[in-house]
Amino acid sequence: MHLAYPAVLSALLFCTGLYGVLARRNAILVLMSVELMLNAVNLNLVAFDVWLSRAAEETLHSGQALTLFTIAIAAAEIGIGLAIVLAVHRNRGTSDIDRLRDTAEGHEPEGPGTGTPATGTPAEKAEATA
């Protein structure tokens, strides 16, 4: 088998996961996208390990060993991540990342459609509401 097939599949999986991390607002879907990216890396590690072991005299299978470590770390990461998401959802009532960021900064979202001016000093804001 050629190395190009798993490499292209791995690139597609990684790009799909990257899109999911950048475009999604739900924290659980972001964690699933991170897992997809880690699986793409695992596929690359195993594919290159098989490809390089054919050329080498002694096979160490270091790519497969690294894949096992990556799977173990990913399992721990998803367990801790889900625990954090569930705790935040219990406290805040939402797992929307944008809302969580706004509450962490200590202010309400500003801008058009929210009824508050988007820029200006507090005196300008008070004058605009009067």
Side-chain angles (χ1 to χ4, degrees):
M1 178 171 65
H2 295 289
L3 183 63
Y5 298 132
V8 168
L9 178 62
S10 176
L12 289 174
L13 284 174
F14 192 85
C15 290
T16 304
L18 186 64
Y19 173 74
V21 167
L22 296 176
R24 300 292 178 201
R25 295 181 185 209
N26 190 349
I28 295 174
L29 291 177
V30 170
L31 286 174
M32 288 174 61
S33 298
V34 169
E35 287 292 322
L36 192 63
M37 290 173 22
L38 287 172
N39 285 331
V41 171
N42 288 339
L43 179 62
N44 250 348
L45 284 172
V46 171
F48 276 97
D49 180 52
V50 169
W51 184 65
L52 290 175
S53 68
R54 289 180 184 169
E57 294 289 328
E58 297 178 14
T59 57
L60 295 176
H61 298 294
S62 58
Q64 293 177 9
L66 284 174
T67 299
L68 289 176
F69 285 121
T70 306
I71 290 171
I73 290 172
E77 174 257 336
I78 200 69
I80 292 171
L82 280 176
I84 291 170
V85 167
L86 288 175
V88 168
H89 189 271
R90 283 185 191 154
N91 289 336
R92 306 268 189 208
T94 184
S95 61
D96 188 10
I97 294 175
D98 291 334
R99 286 187 183 174
L100 295 176
R101 183 180 55 224
D102 290 340
T103 57
E105 292 172 356
H107 63 79
E108 294 297 320
E110 296 178 348
T114 60
T116 57
T119 58
T121 63
E124 290 174 351
K125 290 179 182 178
E127 190 176 314
T129 58

